[in-house]
Amino acid sequence: GDRAVVHDLHNKDYWYHVFTYPDFHYLSSFGKLGQGPQEITVGENMRFDSKGRIFAIDSNKNRLFCFSHISDSPRFEGSTPLDKGLMWALDFDFYGDNQLLIPDYTGKKRFCWVSRDGHILRKMETIPMKDRKKLQESTTAAAQGWRSFVMFSPSRKELVAVTQLGEVLDIYNLTTGKHYHIVG
């Protein structure tokens, strides 16, 4: 609508800042930097849900934080611990109203489906490395090298992942099972 939220990677106090849109007048900040129960140590990606709330992942605390009332005065709504089987939850997207998609940095699979209460429900796909032996020898290192940003399109039932430097784009059609792997 008429608000923009900026994720500040080099903050001193807050990870997220709200501005009017399209003129970008500062309104407020939220996601306080710190070690406290309502504070975020490392703010990773954020997403709006269908109710206009913002969810943000703290990879150090392995928690998903929720903030509401973004358009006027952001409020901390709570946080959810994520399954200990998730390593470095750096990105996520919503998969319907009750699940999240989170890249799997263990290297054993590529993506995790996680319930809204933080439990891993299932995993899918593998890192599309040609050298399978090298992948098996160093799964965690390979997963870090394949760090992906993800997006799920509910209308198309497609999961899109792009590696951190944009060298590889993968599109998974979850209805047909087709996988498009684009390098370069």
Side-chain angles (χ1 to χ4, degrees), residues 171-183:
I171 303 170
Y172 299 89
N173 185 305
L174 302 180
T175 302
T176 66
K178 284 193 174 190
H179 172 208
Y180 301 94
H181 180 71
I182 303 159
V183 179

Side-chain angles (χ1 to χ4, degrees), residues 80-124:
T80 303
L82 297 173
D83 196 295
K84 293 188 186 311
L86 290 166
M87 292 177 83
W88 305 302
L90 302 173
D91 193 19
F92 74 102
D93 201 357
F94 296 108
Y95 182 76
D97 290 332
N98 299 317
Q99 294 180 41
L100 306 169
L101 283 164
I102 299 177
D104 180 10
Y105 291 105
T106 66
K108 295 174 184 159
K109 291 289 184 182
R110 185 128 187 237
F111 307 106
C112 300
W113 267 253
V114 178
S115 64
R116 281 289 184 108
D117 62 357
H119 299 292
I120 296 173
L121 301 171
R122 70 181 196 272
K123 295 183 177 191
M124 77 168 243

Side-chain angles (χ1 to χ4, degrees), residues 1-7 16-28 30 46 48 54 70-71:
D2 62 352
R3 299 291 187 262
V5 178
V6 175
H7 181 186
Y16 310 103
H17 308 284
V18 183
F19 296 85
T20 59
Y21 181 81
D23 49 351
F24 277 87
H25 293 289
Y26 172 80
L27 294 173
S28 61
F30 66 98
M46 63 174 176
F48 281 93
I54 284 188
I70 302 306
S71 62

